[in-house]
């Protein structure tokens, strides 16, 4: 007995069945799209694989800290101080000489991790033994704007989505009343400005939200006295009806208007949630002092680090803090002493605070610049300029929490710090590793733009397994 149904081979039947099957696929996609839209673009999404970190706090030292002056000691460079350098001969005009670090170095904690003697608070074993020092990364550009864009977006050209935009695109946010991606800067923006935290070609929902360093962190956070919450709600509802009619005329896929509509609703919710998150008066005096809010040199960065802790505690996915002034071509000792002092206590407090609250385990902290520094400098006008040039072949960065190794030194540079020589990886591999720790696969976290599927690493990379615990 034939149990298979009779197959009708007519052309009309074939086309009918093909249309029905395509229709079911389209209907399934439409229903899935409607469900996703109803949930909201920033609604929490499950990771693609088991994640070690839920949140990221990136401390960006704009200008490029000298690795041999912070966390990568070079005794041979000290021995050669002010002697002629023939590194990269002919590429720069003028006599070149080696510059030994003006700082001594210490091994701290049970791990014996190395750092210069200007780090006082970070040297505390309770904090130092949480650090992972990666010395093998190499950048691509020697120019600040390009290097900043590359480290923050994966592209040297600018205009691509920031790291936090990719993270929130992949995972959403844990708090519908707060942005998923928050950025804090000094009064002067980093080179490239908002291009370092743009949504790029991703939908506008994933744009980083900058908190201002002075005054109200967000303009118009508090509504005018004559407007009640009920008044605002009615006004937004009426505006939403008008925008919805306009959206239907444009087509449901118009992302710009839809994102603006969502931004109005998020702003309304933020007026209730944000004041409580940024109100540091709820913290104990001991906590405020721990972050350095009682001293002028640490107050700004300390306030930002404390706010970062409160933001991730409230469900913000990705927080970036920019600290400038690390571009020490001259006056290296004075410049780095000042900059280290401004960030040392707040950084140590952030790690200590997260650790005490049980949050460090799933919060990844990254301390980095856009590139490293050269072991030599030019002698100009007969004067020794005790500083360093830009170096994209060697740099150092710190990580803590979020699934990275504790008390570890990974990779190495040569005896002068001119180039990475062990566990050498480009920035794209660092990005792939960051996303991996968040439970995201860079090869699958893609977005169709300009005819091709784009990803953070641009064209793929590999996980730096040596960094992962």
């Amino acid at each position: 007995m034939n149990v298979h149904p009779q197959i009708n081979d007519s052309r009309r039947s074939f086309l009918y069945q093909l249309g029905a099957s395509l229709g079911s696929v389209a209907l399934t996609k439409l229903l899935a799209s409607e469900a996703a839209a109803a949930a909201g673009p920033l609604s929490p999404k499950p990771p693609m694989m088991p994640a070690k970190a839920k949140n990221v706090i990136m401390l960006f030292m704009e200008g490029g800290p000298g690795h041999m002056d912070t966390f990568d000691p070079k005794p041979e460079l000290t021995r050669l101080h002010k002697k002629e350098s023939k590194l990269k001969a002919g590429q720069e005009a003028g006599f070149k000489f080696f510059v030994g670090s003006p700082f001594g170095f210490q091994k701290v904690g049970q791990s014996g991790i190395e750092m210069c003697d200007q780090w006082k608070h970070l040297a505390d074993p309770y904090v130092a033994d949480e650090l992972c020092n990666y010395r093998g990364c190499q950048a691509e550009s020697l120019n600040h704007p390009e290097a900043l864009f590359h480290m923050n977006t994966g592209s040297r050209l600018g205009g691509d989505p920031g790291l936090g935009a990719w993270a929130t695109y992949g995972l959403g946010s844990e708090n519908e009343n707060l942005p998923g991606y928050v950025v804090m800067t000094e009064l002067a923006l980093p080179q490239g400005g908002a291009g370092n935290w743009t949504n790029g070609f991703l939908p506008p929902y994933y744009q980083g939200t900058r908190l201002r360093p002075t005054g109200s962190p967000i303009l118009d956070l508090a509504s005018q006295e004559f407007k009640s919450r009920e008044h605002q709600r009615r006004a937004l509802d009426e505006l939403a009806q008008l925008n919805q009619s306009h959206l239907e005329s444009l087509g449901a896929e118009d992302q710009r208007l839809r994102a603006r509509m969502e931004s109005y609703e998020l702003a309304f919710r933020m007026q209730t949630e944000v004041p409580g998150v940024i109100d540091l008066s709820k913290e104990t005096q001991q906590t405020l002092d721990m972050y350095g809010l009682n001293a002028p040199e640490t107050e700004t960065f300390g306030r930002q680090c404390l706010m970062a802790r409160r933001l991730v505690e409230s469900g913000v996915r990705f927080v970036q803090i920019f600290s400038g002034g690390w571009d020490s071509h001259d006056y290296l000792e004075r410049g780095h002493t000042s900059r280290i002092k401004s960030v040392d206590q707040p950084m140590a407090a952030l790690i200590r605070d997260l650790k005490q609250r049980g949050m460090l385990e799933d919060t990844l902290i990254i301390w980095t610049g856009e590139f490293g520094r050269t072991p030599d400098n030019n002698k100009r006008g007969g004067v020794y300029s005790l500083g360093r040039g830009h170096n994209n072949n060697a740099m150092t960065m710190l990580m803590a929490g979020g699934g990275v190794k504790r008390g570890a030194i990974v990779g190495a540079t040569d005896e002068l710090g001119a180039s990475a020589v062990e566990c050498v990886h480009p920035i794209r591999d660092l990005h792939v590793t960051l996303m991996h720790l968040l439970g995201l696969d860079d090869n699958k976290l893609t977005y169709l733009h300009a005819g091709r599927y784009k990803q953070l690493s641009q064209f793929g990379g590999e996980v730096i397994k040596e960094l992962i615990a």
Side-chain angles (χ1 to χ4, degrees):
M1 179 178 179
N2 186 4
V3 298
H4 298 289
Q6 183 69 32
I7 298 177
N8 188 333
D9 291 327
S10 71
R11 180 172 178 270
R12 179 178 298 177
S13 176
F14 171 77
L15 291 175
Y16 174 79
Q17 292 177 32
L18 178 63
S21 61
L22 291 176
S24 64
V25 171
L27 178 59
T28 301
K29 184 178 186 301
L30 179 62
L31 291 175
S33 300
E34 289 179 350
L42 289 175
S43 296
K45 305 170 190 174
M48 299 174 176
M49 56 186 141
K52 293 181 178 289
K54 294 195 305 183
N55 314 93
V56 176
I57 298 175
M58 189 174 195
L59 310 176
F60 201 101
M61 308 295 108
E62 185 202 0
H67 47 291
M68 61 284 289
D69 305 306
T70 52
F71 300 103
D72 191 5
K74 298 298 172 188
E76 178 64 12
L77 189 58
T78 300
R79 188 184 71 79
L80 294 173
H81 183 57
K82 288 191 176 181
K83 292 186 178 181
E84 180 181 0
S85 165
K86 296 186 181 297
L87 295 176
K88 300 181 180 179
Q91 291 191 10
E92 297 182 44
F95 174 79
K96 297 189 73 176
F97 65 97
F98 288 114
V99 179
S101 178
F103 309 124
F105 273 77
Q106 55 189 334
K107 291 187 176 183
V108 298
Q110 293 183 353
S111 61
I113 199 165
E114 298 166 301
M115 59 182 68
C116 85
D117 54 17
Q118 297 302 300
W119 298 101
K120 309 296 184 183
H121 299 270
L122 211 62
D124 186 324
Y126 185 81
V127 175
D129 285 334
E130 297 295 336
L131 301 176
C132 178
N133 180 8
Y134 179 45
R135 297 173 174 173
C137 193
Q138 291 185 324
E140 291 183 6
S141 176
L142 286 172
N143 299 318
H144 288 294
E146 289 183 5
L148 277 158
F149 284 148
H150 191 201
M151 183 61 79
N152 288 305
T153 72
S155 169
R156 292 185 296 167
L157 303 179
D160 278 26
L163 296 173
W166 280 110
T168 51
Y169 169 62
L171 295 173
S173 180
E174 294 180 305
N175 190 331
E176 65 174 5
N177 299 329
L178 292 174
Y181 180 18
V182 172
V183 177
M184 289 176 272
T185 71
E186 298 170 325
L187 282 173
L189 295 179
Q191 294 192 49
N196 289 291
W197 54 86
T198 178
N199 60 289
F201 48 74
L202 292 177
Y205 314 105
Y206 307 108
Q207 167 79 33
T209 297
R210 177 177 175 251
L211 301 187
R212 304 187 323 143
T214 59
S216 175
I218 299 176
L219 293 176
D220 302 319
L221 186 58
S223 58
Q224 297 95 328
E225 293 182 0
F226 63 85
K227 279 189 177 181
S228 66
R229 292 287 289 176
E230 292 75 16
H231 183 189
Q232 283 184 280
R233 183 68 267 169
R234 288 199 306 271
L236 280 175
D237 288 342
E238 292 181 10
L239 181 61
Q241 290 180 359
L242 294 173
N243 282 329
Q244 184 61 38
S245 297
H246 188 198
L247 181 64
E248 291 172 0
S249 68
L250 294 173
E253 296 302 316
D254 189 279
Q255 295 281 4
R256 290 172 299 176
L257 180 55
R258 187 180 294 278
R260 177 166 293 189
M261 293 167 64
E262 176 59 30
S263 72
Y264 291 149
E265 293 297 327
L266 176 59
F268 180 76
R269 298 193 301 270
M270 284 170 60
Q271 286 183 325
T272 301
E273 186 94 3
V274 170
V277 175
I278 63 177
D279 181 9
L280 303 187
S281 66
K282 298 179 181 180
E283 299 288 342
T284 65
Q285 189 61 47
Q286 181 181 4
T287 299
L288 298 177
D289 294 345
M290 180 175 70
Y291 277 89
L293 270 65
N294 56 351
E297 60 269 22
T298 53
E299 193 275 336
T300 298
F301 197 73
R303 181 178 297 276
Q304 292 173 331
C305 284
L306 179 51
M307 287 177 60
R309 188 221 82 201
R310 293 175 64 89
L311 287 165
V312 298
E313 194 173 31
S314 300
V316 173
R317 182 72 63 187
F318 203 105
V319 179
Q320 262 184 308
I321 306 175
F322 287 85
S323 173
W326 292 87
D327 190 22
S328 295
H329 289 276
D330 304 280
Y331 307 107
L332 171 63
E333 181 175 9
R334 186 174 71 186
H336 268 43
T337 297
S338 171
R339 299 319 299 153
I340 290 174
K341 189 173 184 179
S342 72
V343 302
D344 177 27
Q345 184 175 348
M347 282 174 57
L350 177 61
I351 294 172
R352 179 183 295 275
D353 201 4
L354 290 171
K355 185 176 178 179
Q356 291 173 345
R357 293 169 182 269
M359 297 172 59
L360 186 60
E361 182 178 343
D362 53 19
T363 301
L364 176 63
I365 298 176
I366 304 174
W367 180 93
T368 186
E370 62 266 41
F371 42 52
R373 311 300 295 193
T374 59
D376 52 11
N377 206 0
N378 284 357
K379 185 176 180 181
R380 296 185 290 270
V383 177
Y384 285 103
S385 178
L386 295 181
R388 305 189 186 282
H390 302 172
N391 184 1
N392 62 330
N393 291 317
M395 61 190 303
T396 193
M397 58 187 63
L398 295 181
M399 302 178 194
V404 299
K405 289 180 177 176
R406 301 171 62 249
I409 296 175
V410 178
T413 56
D414 60 35
E415 63 178 5
L416 299 178
S419 182
V421 293
E422 291 182 16
C423 195
V424 182
H425 286 270
I427 286 175
R428 65 175 176 272
D429 289 354
L430 176 71
H431 290 162
V432 169
T433 305
L434 187 157
M435 292 298 154
H436 177 83
L437 290 168
L438 287 169
L440 297 171
D441 184 341
D442 173 75
N443 287 319
K444 296 179 181 178
L445 187 68
T446 61
Y447 190 83
L448 183 62
H449 174 71
R452 70 179 180 90
Y453 285 96
K454 295 192 175 182
Q455 59 197 101
L456 171 59
S457 67
Q458 301 295 316
F459 47 84
E462 62 178 309
V463 173
I464 308 173
K465 296 179 181 178
E466 294 85 347
L467 295 174
I468 299 176

